[in-house]
Amino acid sequence: MTDLDVARPRLDALTGLRWLAAFWVFGYHMAVFGSLPYPFDQPNRLGFLGVTFFFVLSGFVLTWSMRPSLPISTFYLRRFARIWPSHMVALLLAIPVFYTLSADPDHSWVKTFSIPILLLSVVLLQGFSRNPEILFSGNPAAWTLSCEALFYAIHPFLGALLRRANRRGALVIAAVTVAVAFGYRALTQTGPDGWASGVPLPFEHVPEFVLGMAIAWAFARGWRPRVAVWAAWLAFAAIIGWLTVGPSLEFGVLSELAGRFSNEFATVACALLIVAIAGNALRGRRSWLEHPVMVRLGNWSYAFYLVHATVMYAVLNVIGAPRGPGWSNLVWGAGIFAVALALAGAIHHWVETPAERAIRGWKERRDLNRTSGRGIV
């Protein structure tokens, strides 16, 4: 044991924050299903950036809780236990919604059944392809799990390097990571045919994860920035608002930047919000994000993310096509949300939690038997 192995306090406010990111993604997909009238549809236009929030938050949470003494094999198995069982259940639910044995020209989201392509989804490799038939294969929302799988694979090694840094070093790494993200995005839009745009999405999103890691390590080394939570929320809303409307307005270079670097500016906004909320929690200040309801929703957010689009497109399969803008879409959205949330709660309680507990328990017993010299049973 070292001082770095000392348990750090749980940051339940970040669990509640995770739910808000999942709900933002839900709003984005609801805008595709049937949007609200203009301009009330605008807040959901960039809801896909909730995924960016997930990636930054994932890097932060994993690094905040990392322990140098934890074997890499144990870390990997715990991450497998956390995401794969629920992923497989969601995949089985998605197949009859998104697949058919023959082409369906009336439903562009329905694909022809292909076992080899589906197998890529089973092992979380689909996200490494830019081909939409593969990238969105199986459960379309699960392409992000390819990114998470890569993040999990590299985290122990990046963590070992990061542990050498002090607080200032961690903040320098965070700043360099942001610069790299902007530089990469610039490369995708320059040169012959934007040559860098062909990089697989999991590699493209690594800076978001690393930024979360660097910020968490700065906190672990004692960084306690005094960023007012209300100011962070205001800044986040302002940045997302600018990214939403800026590209369509004549703001010159500001419009150009919003259109070209939306993901990178959103990454910074997400990081700022995480810094404010985590710092607030570590100073002992309570937050509405820590309310038991928000924490429970945060715990359900992974399953909700996996199934909400499946529920939505199952409805589309019945009604035939996306709906036009209108206030009645609030009713449709409420119904879809209720079904998806109930399904997410069921998966969390009956699949995710027991499977994770069983797999982690098996690994702990195996490690105990090995260290005690009694062999493996």
Side-chain angles (χ1 to χ4, degrees):
M1 292 285 290
T2 70
D3 61 330
L4 301 181
D5 278 298
V6 176
R8 302 184 184 100
R10 285 179 54 88
L11 300 176
D12 285 334
L14 296 183
T15 303
L17 188 62
R18 188 168 68 224
W19 165 252
L20 296 183
F23 189 77
W24 197 19
V25 176
F26 171 79
Y28 170 73
H29 287 136
M30 270 306 304
V32 176
F33 177 95
S35 67
L36 298 179
Y38 182 86
F40 300 96
D41 62 327
Q42 295 302 293
N44 288 327
R45 278 186 54 196
L46 296 184
F48 61 88
L49 291 173
V51 170
T52 299
F53 217 134
F54 286 144
F55 293 156
V56 180
L57 192 57
S58 179
F60 185 99
V61 171
L62 284 180
T63 304
W64 180 250
S65 60
M66 74 176 177
R67 302 290 179 269
S69 62
L70 186 72
I72 292 180
S73 62
T74 300
F75 172 81
Y76 285 156
L77 194 67
R78 286 182 178 181
R79 302 323 303 163
F80 171 85
R82 176 70 179 84
I83 69 168
W84 197 80
S86 294
H87 160 62
M88 282 305 299
V89 171
L91 174 61
L92 293 174
L93 292 173
I95 288 175
V97 174
F98 294 104
Y99 283 89
T100 183
L101 294 178
S102 58
D104 186 352
D106 296 327
H107 299 87
S108 60
W109 56 88
V110 178
K111 301 175 282 291
T112 303
F113 189 83
S114 170
I115 291 180
I117 290 179
L118 284 173
L119 288 177
L120 291 176
S121 185
V122 170
V123 295
L124 303 181
L125 291 178
Q126 75 276 29
F128 288 89
S129 172
R130 289 277 187 161
N131 181 344
E133 290 288 319
I134 299 175
L135 177 63
F136 301 117
S137 63
N139 178 8
W143 71 267
T144 61
L145 298 187
S146 294
C147 301
E148 290 289 352
L150 174 64
F151 300 161
Y152 298 160
I154 64 178
H155 184 269
F157 306 100
L158 293 182
L161 295 174
L162 191 59
R163 287 197 297 271
R164 301 178 182 179
N166 58 18
R167 178 173 55 192
R168 180 176 297 179
L171 293 175
V172 169
I173 291 171
V176 170
T177 300
V178 170
V180 168
F182 275 92
Y184 165 77
R185 189 63 59 194
L187 286 176
T188 66
Q189 301 170 52
T190 59
D193 300 321
W195 59 273
S197 60
V199 173
L201 288 175
F203 293 108
E204 182 175 293
H205 287 286
V206 164
E208 297 148 37
F209 181 74
V210 173
L211 177 60
M213 289 185 64
I215 292 171
W217 192 245
F219 272 105
R221 286 300 199 183
W223 187 46
R224 296 295 182 269
R226 292 188 175 276
V227 180
V229 174
W230 67 265
W233 276 114
L234 185 62
F236 180 83
I239 292 172
I240 298 303
W242 165 56
L243 296 178
T244 300
V245 303
S248 61
L249 300 178
E250 296 298 328
F251 287 158
V253 67
L254 290 178
S255 293
E256 190 77 8
L257 288 173
R260 292 179 179 271
F261 298 98
S262 60
N263 187 75
E264 287 63 49
F265 282 113
T267 299
V268 173
C270 295
L272 175 63
L273 193 55
I274 291 169
V275 164
I277 291 172
N280 188 67
L282 289 171
R283 288 195 297 273
R285 298 179 180 176
R286 298 290 296 174
S287 166
W288 61 276
L289 291 169
E290 297 175 76
H291 189 280
V293 172
M294 290 301 299
V295 173
R296 172 165 293 188
L297 290 172
N299 288 331
W300 291 5
S301 62
Y302 172 57
F304 179 79
Y305 171 79
L306 288 178
V307 302
H308 77 274
T310 296
V311 174
M312 200 173 292
Y313 280 88
V315 175
L316 278 178
N317 284 344
V318 174
I319 67 176
R323 293 170 49 80
W327 289 109
S328 61
N329 289 324
L330 282 175
V331 178
W332 284 91
I336 291 170
F337 173 80
V339 173
L341 186 63
L343 186 56
I347 291 174
H348 175 77
H349 288 290
W350 297 334
V351 178
E352 183 179 325
T353 299
E356 184 176 7
R357 184 183 300 119
I359 294 172
R360 291 180 64 150
W362 171 82
K363 183 64 166 65
E364 289 169 2
R365 291 191 299 272
R366 187 174 184 271
D367 290 345
L368 180 61
N369 288 336
R370 174 179 294 170
T371 56
S372 63
R374 292 188 288 109
I376 299 174
V377 296

